[in-house]
Amino acid sequence: MNIQQFYEFCLSKKGVTEHFPFDEDTLVLKVGGKMFVLTSLKEWENKTPSLNLKCDPEKALELRAEYEAVIPGWHMSKIHWNTVSFNSDVSDKMMCELINHSYDLVFKSLTKKSKETILNEEL
């Protein structure tokens, strides 16, 4: 997966917006104003891309045990976030599943009104 495929995959989800709240390098994608993925543009340029993804705490531990590419979230809550490296033992298909899981967790945590607003935007 390249950065364009990653970007298009994420932006195809309902209500996703892009931000650079920390610096010009860290792309943050949000749904309903809440982060679900962060990535460094410089890492993509250096061919060492990774994503910080929200994750269910039990699943996060399972993934870290199963995949070398999955480690506790860098500069994030180690309980709820994983950093997942590309070009390792996580396939593109699995990376998409992890992005979906992160998006779903965040979307489910939104208020009923926020969810309805996002779902109605797309109609």
Side-chain angles (χ1 to χ4, degrees):
M1 178 181 301
N2 63 39
I3 192 167
Q4 189 65 33
Q5 292 166 322
F6 155 74
Y7 183 75
E8 289 173 5
F9 179 76
C10 291
L11 286 184
S12 72
K13 300 182 173 313
K14 293 181 181 183
V16 172
T17 55
E18 65 176 282
H19 306 268
F20 288 87
F22 306 115
D23 53 39
E24 294 177 0
D25 175 52
T26 308
L27 171 63
V28 176
L29 298 173
K30 298 181 178 183
V31 60
K34 294 188 174 192
M35 299 185 295
F36 75 97
V37 63
L38 297 87
T39 191
S40 163
L41 299 180
K42 288 178 188 168
E43 286 183 16
W44 284 91
E45 290 172 7
N46 294 334
K47 299 187 181 359
T48 59
S50 65
L51 305 177
N52 274 8
L53 297 166
K54 188 121 186 177
C55 193
D56 171 79
E58 287 185 31
K59 182 174 180 154
L61 293 173
E62 292 171 12
L63 291 166
R64 293 172 198 167
E66 185 175 347
Y67 296 99
E68 188 177 308
V70 181
I71 61 172
W74 189 70
H75 283 296
M76 305 294 285
S77 164
K78 309 296 186 221
I79 296 171
H80 297 281
W81 289 84
N82 280 332
T83 297
V84 185
S85 298
F86 281 90
N87 308 323
S88 189
D89 59 342
V90 174
S91 68
D92 285 355
K93 180 181 177 191
M94 175 57 81
M95 192 66 84
C96 289
E97 289 175 19
L98 296 174
I99 293 168
N100 287 338
H101 176 68
S102 182
Y103 174 88
D104 291 344
L105 277 177
V106 174
F107 186 83
K108 287 176 187 173
S109 76
L110 299 176
T111 64
K112 183 178 179 182
K113 183 177 180 179
S114 292
K115 290 179 200 174
E116 288 173 355
T117 300
I118 290 166
L119 294 174
N120 290 332
E121 282 176 358
E122 303 296 317
L123 297 177

